[in-house]
Amino acid sequence: MSTENEGTAVPPAPSAPPVPVDAPAASTPQASEAGAPTTPIPPVPPHASGGAQGPELVHAGPAPAYASAEGGAQQGASGAPQHPGPGPEGAWPPPQSPGTPLYADGGAGGAGGAWGSGYQQPAPKPKNGRGGLVAAVLVAALVAGGLGGGLGYTLAKDNDNGSSTTLSASDSGGSVKRDAGTVAGVAQKALPSTVTIEAESTSGEGGTGTGFVFDTQGHIVTNNHVVADAVDGGKLSATFPNGKKYDAEVVGHAQGYDVAVIKLKNAPSDLKPLTLGNSDQVAVGDSTIAIGAPFGLSNTVTTGIISAKDRPVASSDGSGSNASYMSALQTDASINPGNSGGPLLDAQGNVIGINSAIQSTSGGGLGGTSQSGSIGLGFAIPINQAKYVAQQLIQTGKPVYAKIGASVSLEDSTGGAKITTEGAGGSDPVEAGGPAAKAGLKPGDVITKLDDHVIDSGPTLIGEIWTHKPGDKVKITYERSGKTRTVDLTLGARTGDS
């Protein structure tokens, strides 16, 4: 697969008791037919109301391209007008039992009190002591219930000045602490260790990318294509989310791996490196979080999943040269120009990859007038590989590549990686004394597997080899004259990009 570099509280008052359906309404008190005095219906207490109411792959690199419910419930406080009700037989509230206390405004033994007064139906005479005990318990329970309701109404009524009263709910909004396992929690922890990188060449051209803190000494890991413009005398800076900006310099860069390390000048003493995960243990379907500066929008967080592993990707800067090869982690997290070099995190916030390339349907590319955008196909360099490369760059300033010592065709195919009949620049296609020669490989052989990984082309083979270190032993499966053979091979080493 060929790609192009991505480019640059108050308790609620109880509700009023229901008015009997047969209660006659009248504007003034009057005697009942039997002459018994009527009991006025008390004011209705306020209610507390509440509401809940052919595609091409591009590096995910610099941007621009290288070419340059408060309010709570409202409490109603108006009382209902008093209306006369029926006689004792149907009055509300019914006549009070002697000895039952009132829990609103009424006094004990009042003939008629405000709502909230306790009332108990006459209990049948108990047949034995146990019945009396049960009745007493019942009374206590009702009294307790009346007390709760009465106090609730009293509190509301005491605050009533005759107009509507607004009861404000708590404005704290609850806890805003984000759990570590949430996307917000991961982003909150990772963002302070992610930087937006600006690279500028001596001619003033450049772009924006992303990087992340690798160690406490001020080393920042990013993509090679993010800082390439600043390698030979250009300007380089890194800006943290808090706005602090630092000048930086390139420590080392690996064009083939598309990995680079820069170092902050006058680095702060409180740097917090991101925790590196294990990309070999990543599984398809795992959650991913990408951080970067898409189209210059720094500190952008997007999410997705691992869509595939070991995806062979050959990416370039759009000019057809300076290709990079990787056996990538594929993700559908939104990655755009400017995300390049940023961390791809797992759900726990561990770095599992470096965002590097995207597949796009646009032909704009880095050198065009328009830039490609995410279509949900992003690719990241596995962190296990990137960590090894970064450590080499910090130690020696130069990349070290694993090799088999043979030239293979870079043409797209599905049959395997064919060893060419001529090497680059007229050299031998199989290096004399190299790993391939020692293993018995010859020009014309077609490599179809490296260990258990299927090889369908030259770029796929290169990307797979570069996931290993020099000195690793691998099993090569190849075809010669229609026959399949297998051989063990110890990988050699090549230093530098030339």
Side-chain angles (χ1 to χ4, degrees):
M1 178 184 296
S2 175
T3 77
E4 222 179 288
N5 280 351
E6 168 204 322
T8 35
V10 174
S15 49
V19 178
V21 175
D22 59 351
S27 58
T28 58
Q30 58 183 355
S32 65
E33 290 183 0
T38 59
T39 303
I41 296 177
V44 179
H47 293 66
S49 62
Q53 315 280 137
E56 92 181 301
L57 280 166
V58 297
H59 273 309
Y66 288 120
S68 78
E70 189 185 29
Q74 263 205 340
Q75 179 82 20
S78 58
Q82 293 186 357
H83 297 283
E89 291 300 323
W92 182 270
Q96 180 184 336
S97 300
T100 303
L102 297 180
Y103 295 103
D105 329 359
W115 187 89
S117 302
Y119 170 72
Q120 179 173 339
Q121 293 282 1
K125 186 175 181 179
K127 297 182 180 180
N128 51 43
R130 177 168 178 158
L133 176 61
V134 172
V137 171
L138 214 55
V139 171
L142 288 173
V143 168
L147 176 61
L151 284 179
Y153 175 50
T154 301
L155 288 173
K157 186 174 185 302
D158 289 345
N159 286 323
D160 183 14
N161 58 6
S163 61
S164 63
T165 303
T166 299
L167 301 181
S168 297
S170 171
D171 60 359
S172 67
S175 174
V176 295
K177 182 179 179 181
R178 271 81 182 181
D179 293 337
T182 64
V183 173
V186 170
Q188 199 171 52
K189 183 177 180 181
L191 275 168
S193 298
T194 306
V195 299
T196 299
I197 297 173
E198 295 180 18
E200 184 179 317
S201 67
T202 53
S203 62
E205 296 180 343
T208 302
T210 309
F212 62 91
V213 177
F214 188 70
D215 59 27
T216 57
Q217 285 71 51
H219 290 110
I220 305 292
V221 172
T222 185
N223 282 145
N224 172 73
H225 71 266
V226 169
V227 303
D229 284 330
V231 169
D232 297 320
K235 296 179 181 180
L236 195 63
S237 66
T239 304
F240 285 84
N242 61 9
K244 293 185 178 181
K245 186 174 183 176
Y246 298 86
D247 289 333
E249 59 184 357
V250 178
V251 172
H253 60 104
Q255 172 265 313
Y257 289 123
D258 197 22
V259 174
V261 176
I262 67 175
K263 187 175 184 180
L264 305 178
K265 296 179 180 179
N266 302 314
S269 59
D270 59 349
L271 290 175
K272 295 182 179 179
L274 291 183
T275 304
L276 305 185
N278 185 345
S279 52
D280 290 342
Q281 295 180 352
V282 170
V284 172
D286 282 351
S287 297
T288 58
I289 302 168
I291 301 179
F295 297 104
L297 300 174
S298 301
N299 316 316
T300 295
V301 177
T302 58
T303 63
I305 62 168
I306 293 293
S307 305
K309 293 180 62 176
D310 303 318
R311 184 70 77 191
V313 172
S315 57
S316 71
D317 59 6
S319 64
S321 60
N322 301 325
S324 301
Y325 302 95
M326 69 183 90
S327 184
L329 296 175
Q330 180 182 325
T331 181
D332 66 349
S334 184
I335 297 174
N336 286 289
N339 274 103
S340 271
L344 183 68
L345 309 171
D346 63 16
Q348 288 71 47
N350 304 310
V351 182
I352 54 175
I354 301 176
N355 300 317
S356 180
I358 59 174
Q359 184 161 344
S360 174
T361 57
S362 169
L366 291 178
T369 57
S370 64
Q371 286 182 296
S372 304
S374 172
I375 59 171
L377 294 173
F379 304 95
I381 304 164
I383 195 59
N384 288 9
Q385 176 183 358
K387 176 183 177 181
Y388 164 74
V389 176
Q391 290 172 337
Q392 290 292 326
L393 294 176
I394 292 172
Q395 293 170 9
T396 68
K398 295 182 179 181
V400 179
Y401 298 89
K403 69 173 187 177
I404 64 169
S407 296
V408 295
S409 173
L410 299 181
E411 295 179 358
D412 290 337
S413 68
T414 57
K418 183 177 182 179
I419 299 179
T420 59
T421 55
E422 288 188 11
S427 62
D428 293 334
V430 178
E431 177 187 330
K438 291 179 179 179
L441 295 175
K442 298 180 179 180
D445 289 345
V446 179
I447 298 174
T448 58
K449 274 188 178 183
L450 191 151
D451 290 333
D452 293 328
H453 296 275
V454 174
I455 304 301
D456 59 4
S457 65
T460 301
L461 176 63
I462 296 172
E464 192 60 43
I465 290 172
W466 286 355
T467 64
H468 293 77
K469 301 174 184 178
D472 284 354
K473 291 184 178 181
V474 297
K475 186 181 295 294
I476 299 291
T477 301
Y478 66 98
E479 293 180 357
R480 178 189 297 170
S481 302
K483 294 183 179 181
T484 300
R485 308 182 184 190
T486 301
V487 65
D488 291 331
L489 181 150
T490 300
L491 296 173
R494 172 172 66 85
T495 300
D497 282 314
S498 57

